[in-house]
């Protein structure tokens, strides 16, 4: 076998890498980058620029894939000591660290390449977007508030989506980015409640490990209330129409449902809240935002 063919990832390794980074969870970040990008197109010339939208997709998936792979690599020893995460590919040996880094670097190249093709500002800011992605997994080693770092990382998506279209800074995109960041950070407060005992035992820092599960749940409720306010602010700032406001009603109802099924003494439905409700929130608001822009004159 030649060295060139040996360098080509085998199907099994590719599949293991996609499982490692949970590629299907891109659905949580992409809708908000699309909302920002399409809103920017509406303000720019009311036309959908499909080439740029494709590059936004490549950039978002590339950066998220890099972030997830780096997270799994950095946290592999912690994951091995936690029964909930001991099945992950880098712990079981289904994926080697070498191949995980290879996949991560390929994803990073795709992200930077897409940023370069979009505009000079996106390329210049690309390294800044990478920083919180790498810092986040280390956060649980030096702060009780690693969710704040995660929120900052997630806020990059909508801001980047807008910059990709206009090449100019937008405070409307910042509002949307903050909404997404506070939303994801708030949910991660709930998600971290599953690991309180293990985290305390092995020294992993988090809000629930430091302050307790009830405090984390209430913190998440506050975060999601703030998220709703920020979504309303974004709607007002961009002059959104009836369909977007309908989307906000749906989002608020989904938040109420999410917090009705997750309680301090009952975490049995955390995965339903994460996989189902949060995915529903992103897709629902995107569909409503798209319909709103189309009704108001966005041309396909």
């Amino acid at each position: 076998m030649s060295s060139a063919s040996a360098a080509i990832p085998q199907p099994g390794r590719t599949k293991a890498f996609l499982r490692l980074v949970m590629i299907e969870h891109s659905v949580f970040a992409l809708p908000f980058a699309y909302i920002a990008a399409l809103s920017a197109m509406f303000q720019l010339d009311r036309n959908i620029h499909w080439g740029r939208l494709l590059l936004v997709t490549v950039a978002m998936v590339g950066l998220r894939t890099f972030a997830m792979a780096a997270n799994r690599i950095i946290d592999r020893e912690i994951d091995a000591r936690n029964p909930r995460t001991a099945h992950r590919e880098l712990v079981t040996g289904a994926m080697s660290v070498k191949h995980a880094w290879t996949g991560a670097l390929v994803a990073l190249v795709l992200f930077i390449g897409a940023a370069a093709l979009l505009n000079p500002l996106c390329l210049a800011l690309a390294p800044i977007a990478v920083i919180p992605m790498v810092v986040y997994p280390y956060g649980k080693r030096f702060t009780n508030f690693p969710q704040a770092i995660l929120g900052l990382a997630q806020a990059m998506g909508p801001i980047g989506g807008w910059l990709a279209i206009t090449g100019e800074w937008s405070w409307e995109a910042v509002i949307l980015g903050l909404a997404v960041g506070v939303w994801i950070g708030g949910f991660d407060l709930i998600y971290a409640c599953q690991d309180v005992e293990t985290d305390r035992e092995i020294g992993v820092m988090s809000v629930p490990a430091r302050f307790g599960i009830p405090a984390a749940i209430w913190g998440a409720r506050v975060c999601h209330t703030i998220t709703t306010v920020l979504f309303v602010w974004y709607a007002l700032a961009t002059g959104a129409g009836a369909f977007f406001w309908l989307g906000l009603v749906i989002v608020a109802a989904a938040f109420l449902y999410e917090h009705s099924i997750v309680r301090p003494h009952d975490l049995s439905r955390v995965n339903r809240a994460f996989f189902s409700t949060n995915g529903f929130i992103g897709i629902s608001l995107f569909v409503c935002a798209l319909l709103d822009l189309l009704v108001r004159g966005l041309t396909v």
Side-chain angles (χ1 to χ4, degrees), residues 3 30 53 75 82 118 135 154 166 183 189 194 207 213 221 226 231 255 284 291:
S3 59
L30 275 172
L53 204 58
D75 277 353
N82 186 334
L118 282 164
V135 173
Q154 295 295 327
T166 65
W183 165 46
L189 288 173
Q194 300 176 100
V207 169
I213 292 176
R221 291 171 181 171
I226 294 172
F231 278 146
F255 279 147
S284 297
L291 288 174

Side-chain angles (χ1 to χ4, degrees), residues 25 28 187 190-191 194 254 257-262 266-281:
H25 288 185
F28 297 142
F187 181 78
I190 301 174
Y191 203 69
Q194 300 176 100
Y257 171 73
E258 182 175 298
H259 287 282
S260 73
I261 66 173
V262 178
D266 181 10
L267 301 176
S268 61
R269 291 180 285 185
V270 166
N271 283 333
R272 181 191 300 181
F274 181 76
F275 295 109
S276 302
T277 308
N278 283 327
F280 173 78
I281 286 172

Side-chain angles (χ1 to χ4, degrees), residues 26 29 64 94 110 150 189 191 198 201 206 257 287 290:
S26 298
R64 185 204 165 274
L110 288 174
L150 176 63
L189 288 173
Y191 203 69
T198 301
E201 179 182 337
S206 71
Y257 171 73
V287 170
L290 177 60

Side-chain angles (χ1 to χ4, degrees), residues 55-69:
L55 289 173
V56 168
T57 304
V58 173
M60 284 293 299
V61 174
L63 182 57
R64 185 204 165 274
T65 299
F66 167 77
M68 281 294 294

Side-chain angles (χ1 to χ4, degrees), residues 5-27:
S5 61
I8 300 174
Q10 300 301 311
R13 292 172 182 170
T14 301
K15 186 175 181 180
F17 181 76
L18 294 178
R19 288 199 308 268
L20 177 77
V21 300
M22 303 176 76
I23 193 69
E24 67 276 10
H25 288 185
S26 298
V27 71

Side-chain angles (χ1 to χ4, degrees), residues 107-137:
L108 182 60
V109 169
L110 288 174
F111 165 65
I112 294 175
L117 290 172
L118 282 164
N119 57 62
L121 183 59
C122 284
L123 178 59
L125 295 178
I128 297 175
V130 173
I131 292 173
M133 308 299 176
V134 177
V135 173
Y136 167 63

